[in-house]
């Protein structure tokens, strides 16, 4: 059996005699023989061609440089490994384009395996290469066309399962071209799992001959989690026996179309959703008057549904019984004219029996031609009701304006009056027709200091219109029609329409009486309400200025401290009313005996002070003797009784050595004490050791007694009932009062020992004793708790600022089990203002538990008005100084009324102290004070043992 090497050897040894020579020549094939040892090559002849290269080197020289190395590598691989040579290359032509050749051959070896020769063939394959290139170009154009329209093609041999996909088919199925071997399973893997069953079913129907052509829209699941929508079309071809042989088809990307259809559906759904929000019935009719779209309100109005309304003539819906003459709406629609028609409830063309408004609007396309008619029907029932309500509201506003006590008027941008209420006309003394349409500012602005009224542009109301922000003035004067000017509080606010200022509204209030009341309140803040003398606060201010003058200029002054002797006898014998009258008469006498540069003030109940400025001690002693003589000679008559008094006077010099006001008062007080110790009705000039003597004989005695009372529990509790003026049954309301009862039956009231307790910081201990005693008594008296609505406990200013006392109070209330809402703590005005932050903190802390608070002696210093908004109290206890003379003093009545008004505005109830008669109680009830307390209501009573009723 000959080998391939023998075949090539024989072929080249005898080319012309070979039987293959004609066939080789016809196929344009040359044979060649190469001797590697000599590098000589022999080539068979080629028709019309030049002879082949004689040597291996010349053969290589005819190769295209780009292919030369590849051919050398192939030849060496054949020589070294014994494999057959098979390589394509291009030649270098003398002219024209390179031609392609196929070089094939095999080495011939001797018995030892050494290569002797290498023989083979060389065929011109240029035409084959050109045909392949043309085919590839056609496939590329086809692939580009498929990619351009996103159309892929595929083929499946049903019998063998072999498949072929175009490049675009790969991409549409989510694969890279050539990345996987095409198959039916790979196709199904690419189909979305939810669509796979439908796809398989359609293909099986086609294979069974049920459908000549199948079309299925499905999704392709992409590797990134996305989806692609495609249209799959396929056709089955059958063999001669009717069995399915081949399945061919296309895949079209319809993702954009599906997305556009979804967007359109979403847009329509959004339109329907928006239209359904309208309360008006909105509907669209085509040019043949058929309803094509409508919202929910339309269906509710007509009682139809989308199935019964869409496509139906609007004439049948709105005029089911026809209409002899077209209604205005139908005329506008037929004439293609935009319009708005209102039909009252009784209009013959209104089938709904309610007032309605119908809008007709033409819908035009991009070419401007009418394509449909948009209509909207509005039920005016609610609108008419709103208009009626607006008219009622306007009438109500007019009534409120006419009922208001403040003057109210409006102006336009030019300052012309647009409206004015009766209160304003009454205060200005004008008639309505005198001001409406007139520049009202010119009419009512007051001329001051002989100058013309300010120009309109400077007026507050015009600056408000210019800035667009409201303003307020408390120093405005307006002129009445008789030329008289009066003070007002004046506010102006801009009015606007569509964000444009159109004018202003002015509100003013006549404050003539209020300013007079303020003047009186300022007076009372510095003067004693009973005697008209300056009070302790004003006296100390004047004394402070005198001290400053001494420090700056070296001037000398003298302070006199007067304490009446036997005054208590008048009070105890004839009562407080008599005592008050005595103080008024004596104050007048004393004031007449001092120099016009001196100051006389009431410092306490029966204590007075006289500041002698620029006065030597000798002159001061003379004046003091004159004052003492005046008191001794004074005779007080009351109900056929005659009383005589004495006075102890202490004098203290004021110079640069006097440290402060407190020092001066302490020295004068000590001197007064020494005068009393000397036998009363004496005058004493302060000496350096007087203070120590007074302390030792006076206050220090109280300190030891109070400490003993705390240690041995010698305090006791009394209570005083507080009653409502209305007489309503609210449960008992009482105030707890501490007293000292440590020596037999003697009971010492708090006024005697509390000043010493406050001065020597014993009040926190006494307050703790009172809190413990009250809570223990309430805890042990369940029956009393049922009848008691509120129990008031007094707290001192020292305890108010004591953080440890705060903690004690909270813990004690929680531990007692007594309902916190039953407890009310009273703090004085002075203590609250002096310890404002601590007071606010304690009040808020205890109010969280449920406790309530009362501000005691309210109005005594008048400073509490400024702080009242910051103190969240529940009750105001009106100072008794304003209450006891309320029957005769209009100022006291005005003060009580003012305090009551302020309390009620702030939601705070008022309690009047020192109510000593039914007549006073009746006046307080008339004013509107909520509660009363005093000897005319109930005397203080000793607190019964625990468990017994009050």
């Amino acid at each position: 059996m000959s080998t391939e090497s023998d075949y090539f050897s024989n072929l080249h040894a005898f080319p012309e005699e070979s039987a293959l020579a004609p066939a080789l020549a016809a196929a344009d094939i040359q044979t060649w023989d190469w001797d590697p040892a000599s590098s000589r090559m022999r080539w068979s002849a080629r028709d019309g061609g030049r002879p082949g290269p004689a040597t291996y080197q010349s053969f290589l020289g005819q190769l295209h440089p780009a292919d030369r190395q590849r051919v050398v590598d192939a030849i060496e691989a054949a020589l070294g490994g014994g494999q057959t040579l098979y390589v394509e290359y291009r030649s270098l032509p003398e002219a024209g384009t390179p031609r392609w050749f196929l070089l094939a051959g095999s080495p011939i070896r001797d018995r030892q395996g050494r290569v002797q020769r290498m023989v083979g063939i060389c065929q011109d394959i240029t035409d084959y290469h050109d045909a392949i290139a043309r085919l590839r170009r056609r496939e590329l154009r086809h692939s580009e066309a498929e990619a351009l329209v996103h159309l892929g093609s595929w083929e499946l041999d049903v019998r063998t399962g072999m498949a072929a996909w175009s490049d675009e088919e790969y991409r549409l199925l989510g694969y890279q071209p050539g990345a996987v071997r095409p198959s039916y399973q790979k196709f199904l893997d690419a189909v979305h799992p939810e669509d796979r069953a439908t796809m398989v079913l359609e293909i099986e129907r086609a294979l069974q001959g049920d459908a000549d052509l199948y079309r299925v829209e499905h999704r392709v699941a992409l590797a990134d989690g996305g989806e692609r929508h495609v249209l799959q079309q396929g056709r089955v071809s059958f063999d001669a026996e009717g069995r399915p042989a081949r399945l061919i088809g296309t895949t079209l990307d319809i993702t954009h179309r599906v997305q556009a259809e979804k967007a359109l559906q979403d847009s329509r759904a959004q339109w329907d959703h928006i239209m359904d929000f309208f309360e008006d019935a909105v509907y669209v009719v085509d040019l043949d008057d058929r309803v094509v779209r409508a919202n929910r309100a339309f269906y509710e109005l007509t009682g139809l549904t989308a199935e019964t309304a869409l496509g139906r003539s609007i004439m049948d819906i709105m005029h089911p019984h026809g209409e002899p003459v077209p209604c205005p709406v139908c005329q506008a629609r037929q004439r293609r004219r935009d319009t708005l028609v209102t039909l009252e409830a009784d209009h013959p063309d209104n089938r709904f029996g309610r007032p309605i408004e119908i809008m007709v609007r033409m819908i035009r396309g991009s070419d401007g031609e009418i394509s449909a008619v948009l209509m909207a029907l509005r039920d005016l029932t609610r609108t008419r009701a709103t208009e009626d309500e607006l008219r009622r509201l306007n009438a109500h506003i007019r009534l409120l304006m006419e009922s208001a006590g403040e003057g109210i008027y409006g102006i336009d941008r030019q300052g012309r009056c647009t409206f004015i209420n009766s209160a304003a006309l009454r205060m200005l003394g004008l008639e309505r027709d005198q001001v409406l349409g007139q520049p009202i500012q010119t009419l009512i602005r007051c001329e001051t200091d002989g100058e013309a009224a300010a120009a309109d542009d400077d007026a507050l109301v015009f600056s408000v219109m210019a800035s667009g922000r409201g303003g307020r003035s408390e120093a405005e004067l307006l002129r009445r029609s008789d030329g008289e000017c009066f003070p007002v509080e004046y506010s102006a606010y801009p009015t606007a329409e569509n964000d444009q200022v159109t004018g202003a509204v002015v509100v003013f209030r006549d404050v003539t009486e209020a300013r007079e009341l303020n003047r009186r309140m300022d007076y009372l803040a510095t003067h004693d309400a009973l005697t008209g003398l300056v009070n302790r606060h004003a006296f100390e201010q004047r004394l402070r200025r005198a001290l400053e003058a001494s420090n700056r200029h070296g001037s000398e002054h003298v302070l006199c401290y007067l304490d009446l002797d036997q005054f208590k006898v008048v009070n105890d014998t004839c009562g407080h009313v008599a005592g008050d009258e005595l103080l008024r008469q004596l104050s007048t006498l004393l004031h007449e005996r001092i120099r016009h540069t001196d100051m006389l003030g009431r410092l306490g109940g029966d204590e007075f002070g006289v500041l002698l400025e620029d006065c030597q001690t000798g002159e001061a002693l003379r004046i003091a003797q004159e004052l003492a003589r005046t008191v001794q000679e004074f005779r007080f008559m009351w109900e056929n009784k005659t009383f005589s008094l004495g006075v102890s006077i202490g004098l203290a010099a004021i110079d640069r050595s006097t440290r402060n006001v407190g020092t001066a008062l302490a020295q004068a007080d000590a001197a007064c004490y020494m005068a009393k110790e000397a036998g009363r009705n004496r005058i004493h000039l302060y000496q350096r050791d007087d203070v120590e003597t007074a302390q030792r004989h006076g206050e220090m005695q109280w300190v030891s007694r109070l400490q003993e009372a705390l240690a041995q529990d010698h305090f006791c509790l009394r209570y005083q009932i507080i009653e409502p003026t209305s007489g309503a049954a609210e449960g008992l309301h009482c105030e707890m009062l501490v007293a000292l009862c440590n020596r037999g039956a003697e009971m010492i009231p708090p006024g005697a020992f509390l000043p010493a307790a406050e001065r020597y910081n014993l009040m926190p201990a006494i307050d703790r004793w009172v809190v413990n005693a009250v809570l223990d008594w309430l805890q042990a008296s369940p029956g009393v708790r049922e009848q008691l609505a509120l129990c008031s406990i007094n707290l001192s200013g020292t305890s108010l600022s004591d953080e440890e006392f705060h903690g004690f109070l909270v813990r004690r209330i929680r531990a007692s089990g007594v309902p916190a809402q039953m407890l009310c703590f009273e703090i004085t005005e002075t203590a609250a203002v002096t310890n404002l932050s601590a007071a606010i903190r304690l009040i808020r802390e205890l109010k969280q538990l449920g406790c309530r608070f009362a501000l005691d002696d309210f109005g005594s210093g008048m400073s509490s008005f400024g702080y009242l908004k910051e103190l969240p109290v529940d009750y105001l206890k009106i100072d008794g100084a304003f209450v006891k003379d309320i029957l005769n003093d209009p100022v006291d009545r005005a003060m009580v009324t003012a305090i009551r008004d302020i309390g009620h505005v702030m939601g705070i109830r008022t309690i009047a102290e020192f109510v000593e008669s039914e007549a006073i109680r009746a006046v307080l009830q008339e004013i509107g004070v909520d509660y009363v307390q005093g000897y005319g209501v109930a005397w203080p009573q000793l607190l019964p043992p625990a468990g017994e009723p009050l």
Side-chain angles (χ1 to χ4, degrees), residues 878 895-905 908 910 927-929:
I878 303 171
M895 286 298 300
V896 171
T897 302
I899 294 172
R900 176 264 178 198
D901 290 342
I902 291 172
H904 282 208
V905 167
I908 303 174
T910 50
I927 291 173
V929 174

Side-chain angles (χ1 to χ4, degrees), residues 24 123 154 176 458 653 662 759 765:
L24 293 173
Q123 182 181 10
W154 52 269
Q176 289 294 326
D458 296 330
R759 183 170 299 179

Side-chain angles (χ1 to χ4, degrees), residues 597-619:
T597 57
D598 300 332
M599 173 177 278
L600 172 64
R602 185 184 178 195
L603 304 184
D606 58 353
E607 299 172 346
F608 297 87
V610 180
L611 178 61
L612 305 174
E613 297 191 64
D614 297 316
C615 184
Q616 300 294 323
T617 54
E619 177 67 10

